[in-house]
Amino acid sequence: MNHFFEQLSGFLWGWPMIILLLGTHIFLTFRLKFPQLRIFTAIKLSVKRDHQATGDVSQFGALATALAATIGTGNIIGVATAIALGGPGAVLWCWLTGVFGMSTKYAEGLLAIKYRQKTADGKMLGGPMYALEHGLGWKWMARLFAVFTACAAFGIGNTVQANAIATIADTTYGISPYVTGGVVCLLAGAVILGGVKSIARVCTALVPFMALFYVVGCIYILFCNAQYVWPAIRLIFQSAFSPAALGGGFAGTTIMTAARYGIARGLFSNESGLGSAPIVAAAAQTRNPVRQALVSSSGTFWDTVVICALTGIVIVSSIIHYPDISINDGAALTKMAFGKIPYVGAPLLSFGLLTFAFSTILGWSYYGERAMEYLKGRRWTKGYRWLYIAAVFIGSVANLSIVWNIADCMNALMAIPNLLSLLFLNGMIVHETRKYLWRNRLDCEM
């Protein structure tokens, strides 16, 4: 079974999916006249509470929850894996994917607000399943998306993250996975059982702190590797387009492999096109769809354009600085690259992985719960919460090789219907963008 899902995952995340995702990124970038250029406006809106708008959480709360789910182990180990498999050039392709992916995240956020539904008790529900049903009339595909999301939440959003936390605690501090699993299970349960406002409140406090701490730590490491930073950047650019620039353990890496692994890891890291982030974006307090669309696009900027890029430069500069570092395995490469930095390297890596993984558990719990509510109604959501919390402990103590492969498959199957909704509804996205953004009417209500 593990072999089957491994093969299926390789097929689903092969060149057809990469072309579909990256093609959508590029298409929407030109169709929407480069919304990336509005990044400073997006950042300003993300930290500004919109008191005149309706919604369940603030725009920053929605962004923090989405970032909690996207900023995970993929930002650290995933980048290292891309470098190990595709060479230093993979970092540039990963970064470019984030730049273009901002347009797709913008479009997802816009549709989330445009087609969100208000329940009898005033709660906002939205996401690709609502865009598919109410925008395109494809209810059967909307239900498929919800099924894949509810299943994917237990994989990439839960058990594999809990397992990463338990593994770090065991190898670094000698703490039993059973103890770690119990503690993480209790902490996650205390937050998740409080609902979206509790999750958003914790993520609002945790995400800026953990991201800032990690970014400052990476800058310090780059300072320690100062004389190797520019050679690392030069090598990243050269090897992205010229295999002749590679040598040593990277010999045999081609431009195609650098592009493939860099793009795939970038897409996997920022989740632009996956359809997960718009589920929480729909709960944001915003007066029109474009305001939240801009805020959503800033998530990809922070996740990939900043954090993944810093991680990549740290690792490549460390490889140049310490040629004895093994580059055959992503996890080992990460540990050795950060471990070479005295005093702060190993603690920074441990803290980053622990907090990134825990925040991902919180963010994906909301995605899975909303998908279940779409499928079966609110009466099923409490049971889903308890099952999700129990899975945290199971993931901490179980062998998860098959879970990784199943999760990869579920994520790919989520992306397909979501990307179709973006492509078929691009006219609506352009219409709303023209109405509010291009005509400078961001302060107008719907």
Side-chain angles (χ1 to χ4, degrees):
M1 184 179 290
N2 187 38
H3 178 71
F4 168 77
F5 281 107
E6 184 178 9
Q7 295 296 314
L8 180 60
S9 173
F11 169 75
L12 290 173
W13 283 104
W15 278 109
M17 174 62 76
I18 291 175
I19 291 171
L20 176 62
L21 274 162
L22 189 59
T24 302
H25 291 351
I26 296 173
F27 169 73
L28 290 173
T29 293
F30 285 94
R31 188 82 167 92
L32 298 172
K33 299 180 181 179
F34 290 84
Q36 296 92 333
L37 299 176
R38 311 277 185 155
I39 183 58
F40 294 109
T41 301
I43 295 172
K44 181 180 178 181
L45 288 173
S46 69
V47 297
K48 184 179 180 181
R49 184 176 288 273
D50 195 348
H51 294 285
Q52 302 179 29
T54 57
D56 300 330
V57 297
S58 67
Q59 288 184 305
F60 184 74
L63 174 64
T65 304
L67 280 173
T70 55
I71 299 179
T73 54
N75 293 79
I76 304 176
I77 296 178
V79 173
T81 301
I83 295 171
L85 297 174
V91 176
L92 178 62
W93 291 107
C94 180
W95 185 81
L96 288 173
T97 301
V99 172
F100 285 105
M102 291 171 64
S103 296
T104 300
K105 193 64 74 73
Y106 170 94
E108 290 177 322
L110 190 152
L111 292 182
I113 300 298
K114 180 66 179 178
Y115 293 106
R116 68 181 179 179
Q117 305 293 304
K118 192 173 185 178
T119 63
D121 58 357
K123 186 170 63 174
M124 294 294 186
L125 301 177
M129 51 274 203
Y130 294 90
L132 287 163
E133 179 181 353
H134 299 286
L136 294 171
W138 296 353
K139 188 170 183 177
W140 63 274
M141 188 170 285
R143 294 185 69 83
L144 279 178
F145 174 86
V147 169
F148 296 141
T149 302
C151 293
F154 281 99
I156 195 63
N158 184 324
T159 51
V160 297
Q161 304 297 333
N163 190 264
I165 294 174
T167 301
I168 295 165
D170 185 23
T171 56
T172 307
Y173 306 106
I175 302 174
S176 168
Y178 289 90
V179 174
T180 303
V183 172
V184 175
C185 186
L186 289 174
L187 291 174
V191 178
I192 292 170
L193 291 175
V196 62
K197 291 185 178 180
S198 173
I199 295 172
R201 187 164 55 249
V202 172
C203 291
T204 298
L206 177 62
V207 169
F209 171 72
M210 72 178 193
L212 180 62
F213 184 87
Y214 182 75
V215 168
V216 171
C218 285
I219 293 173
Y220 172 77
I221 293 176
L222 293 178
F223 177 78
C224 295
N225 288 343
Q227 61 180 314
Y228 303 99
V229 171
W230 177 244
I233 295 174
R234 187 168 61 243
L235 178 62
I236 287 170
F237 275 84
Q238 289 176 345
S239 58
F241 304 104
S242 173
L246 297 171
F250 294 114
T253 303
T254 66
I255 297 175
M256 294 297 286
T257 56
R260 176 186 174 185
Y261 288 109
I263 293 170
R265 291 297 169 180
L267 296 171
F268 200 73
S269 170
N270 59 53
E271 297 182 10
S272 293
L274 195 63
S276 52
I279 296 175
V280 70
Q285 296 167 345
T286 184
R287 67 183 71 182
N288 63 62
V290 171
R291 288 173 72 96
Q292 182 56 37
L294 288 169
V295 172
S296 294
S297 70
S298 69
T300 300
F301 172 79
W302 294 119
D303 176 89
T304 306
V305 179
V306 176
I307 294 179
C308 284
L310 278 174
T311 303
I313 297 172
V314 164
I315 292 174
V316 175
S317 64
S318 296
I319 291 172
I320 298 174
H321 190 178
Y322 304 101
D324 60 314
I325 292 179
S326 172
I327 56 177
N328 297 320
D329 177 75
L333 172 58
T334 306
K335 187 175 181 179
M336 293 184 69
F338 279 81
K340 290 289 187 179
I341 307 302
Y343 307 115
V344 303
L348 174 66
L349 177 61
S350 298
F351 177 83
L353 289 173
L354 287 170
T355 54
F356 286 9
F358 181 72
S359 67
T360 300
I361 293 173
L362 299 182
W364 269 92
S365 71
Y366 182 77
Y367 298 159
E369 187 178 318
R370 292 287 75 81
M372 181 57 66
E373 183 170 354
Y374 177 82
L375 291 168
K376 291 293 185 178
R378 292 191 66 181
R379 66 185 184 276
W380 285 71
T381 56
K382 288 187 178 180
Y384 185 90
R385 285 183 190 178
W386 284 105
L387 190 60
Y388 188 91
I389 294 168
V392 173
F393 181 79
I394 295 171
S396 301
V397 300
N399 187 329
L400 296 181
S401 57
I402 188 172
V403 177
W404 266 108
N405 290 322
I406 294 175
D408 284 350
C409 294
M410 292 298 105
N411 285 345
L413 293 172
M414 282 175 62
I416 294 171
N418 178 59
L419 291 171
L420 290 176
S421 72
L422 294 174
L423 293 172
F424 280 92
L425 290 171
N426 77 86
M428 174 61 71
I429 297 168
V430 171
H431 172 77
E432 295 294 310
T433 302
R434 180 184 297 111
K435 180 179 178 180
Y436 295 106
L437 183 61
W438 297 344
R439 294 176 180 172
N440 297 316
R441 301 175 67 236
L442 281 176
D443 291 332
C444 296
E445 297 186 8
M446 288 187 285

